[in-house]
Amino acid sequence: MKDIRMALLDMNNNRVNQGFKNITEISEAFKENCSENVTVSTFDVRFKNEIPDIHDFDIFISSGGPGDPHREGLEWEDRFSDFLDQIFEHNASHASKKYLFLICHSFQLASIHWKLGNIRKRKSYSFGVMPVHKTEDGRQEFLFGNLPDPFYAVDSRAYQFIEPDHLRIEALGMKIVGIEKFRPHIHLERAVMAIRFSEEIFGTQFHPEANPAGMIENLKDEKNKQAMIDSFGMEKYLETVDRIDDPDKILLTQAQIIPGFLQFAKENILKQAGTMV
């Protein structure tokens, strides 16, 4: 029986983070529900400079994290860039694929690395339960298949990806599948919220791992609460609190996207292992 080996990349730079706890919980639930032997290993990328060897694992989930996604000249940045290239190049030249999910900070790092557009600081911090709109390609995206349009997800970012280079994205075979809320009366670029980087690599600006308990924990942080009120007003803050437990919002998103990615990866890993026997 084929073992399935998962690597979780912690990008939080030694800060306690509810999101990484949620990623671990989703990974452990996947492990418990698999009849195959699943191993889950954790790598502290930014604080301990740990990067998994791509040949030792089948599935990778790289988390969100704090700070500027642009390079600061640190060793882990080169190693993470090499990691991205190794997975992309491995998948282009091998029948057995590697599967990678990139969240928030990791999504921004990858978008910068592949020169896909402009990643810059927002005027104010964005935090809350926000609508994500599917693009035309997003309506064909199987990970979004059981989600409404728009669907809702936890947004927590100081930076945003705007002004995508559509020619480069198309040349690399990538697809933008989710964007920020449509507001045609406001002449501002809408942020890119999700990209299908390849058949095996997917990324989101939002946090598909988030759950209500984690969201409530984040709202206890006075910075997050005040950022929401300053940016959107008390009404928006109260609306977000109201949305937290709605089964059609972040609970639905959490149940669909990463579990769907893991199931897709598992099926293809097992199919490939079967053809190699």
Side-chain angles (χ1 to χ4, degrees):
M1 184 180 290
K2 165 71 176 172
D3 290 348
I4 296 173
R5 304 158 300 171
M6 291 181 63
L8 308 183
L9 282 67
D10 183 350
M11 305 295 283
N12 287 288
N13 203 19
N14 204 37
R15 297 190 191 179
V16 176
N17 181 268
Q18 185 65 37
F20 195 74
K21 180 183 176 188
N22 295 153
I23 292 167
T24 303
E25 289 169 352
I26 291 170
S27 302
E28 290 296 332
F30 171 72
K31 176 179 178 178
E32 290 299 315
N33 291 325
C34 278
S35 54
E36 298 76 22
N37 181 45
V38 177
T39 60
V40 181
S41 303
T42 298
F43 294 82
D44 187 337
V45 177
R46 294 170 69 183
F47 189 69
K48 295 183 180 177
N49 198 25
E50 297 174 344
I51 292 277
D53 185 325
I54 72 158
H55 301 100
D56 293 341
F57 299 93
D58 307 296
I59 302 172
F60 306 84
I61 302 177
S62 190
S63 79
D68 189 335
H70 296 92
R71 281 177 170 266
E72 298 175 303
L74 302 172
E75 184 184 348
W76 72 262
E77 294 169 332
D78 288 333
R79 298 190 70 197
F80 187 74
S81 288
D82 289 343
F83 165 79
L84 292 174
D85 285 339
Q86 286 171 29
I87 289 184
F88 208 83
E89 290 161 11
H90 172 94
N91 288 342
S93 57
H94 291 75
S96 59
K97 309 299 184 183
K98 305 293 180 179
Y99 296 84
L100 170 63
F101 200 106
L102 298 152
I103 299 170
C104 197
H105 193 80
S106 296
F107 169 83
Q108 293 171 356
L109 291 170
S111 298
I112 291 169
H113 174 69
W114 283 314
K115 301 180 174 66
L116 303 184
N118 182 10
I119 289 79
R120 71 181 190 196
K121 195 165 188 178
R122 288 174 50 87
K123 289 182 179 177
S124 60
Y125 193 85
S126 175
F127 183 82
V129 179
M130 309 294 188
V132 177
H133 289 255
K134 301 178 187 181
T135 63
E136 189 174 337
D137 285 323
R139 287 190 279 275
Q140 310 304 316
E141 172 55 54
F142 78 92
L143 292 180
F144 294 169
N146 292 320
L147 297 173
D149 188 11
F151 60 91
Y152 286 81
V154 170
D155 192 29
S156 177
R157 60 194 160 102
Y159 288 78
Q160 62 182 353
F161 175 2
I162 59 172
E163 299 165 353
D165 184 338
H166 293 287
L167 290 177
R168 178 162 175 78
I169 289 167
E170 186 177 347
L172 291 171
M174 301 175 178
K175 295 176 180 177
I176 295 172
V177 294
I179 63 171
E180 205 173 12
K181 184 178 180 181
F182 290 114
R183 290 194 292 181
H185 58 289
I186 297 177
H187 298 294
L188 290 174
E189 281 271 347
R190 297 297 87 210
V192 174
M193 298 302 283
I195 295 178
R196 167 61 67 184
F197 293 101
S198 72
E199 188 174 347
E200 303 84 15
I201 305 172
F202 194 83
T204 62
Q205 175 63 75
F206 59 86
H207 288 269
E209 79 279 13
N211 64 19
M215 188 69 178
I216 290 165
E217 197 62 35
N218 273 321
L219 283 174
K220 289 179 183 176
D221 184 326
E222 193 60 34
K223 175 192 145 195
N224 289 335
K225 177 180 177 180
Q226 198 56 50
M228 277 196 67
I229 294 169
D230 290 347
S231 298
F232 306 106
M234 181 59 78
E235 185 179 350
K236 183 71 174 179
Y237 171 77
L238 295 173
E239 175 190 74
T240 297
V241 171
D242 185 56
R243 285 175 174 174
I244 286 173
D245 286 322
D246 189 330
D248 292 330
K249 292 192 169 62
I250 64 171
L251 280 169
L252 181 62
T253 300
Q254 187 200 36
Q256 293 295 322
I257 296 180
I258 297 179
F261 169 82
L262 292 174
Q263 184 63 27
F264 171 77
K266 182 186 90 163
E267 289 173 3
N268 282 281
I269 290 163
L270 296 179
K271 192 185 300 180
Q272 186 57 43
T275 61
M276 293 170 67
V277 172

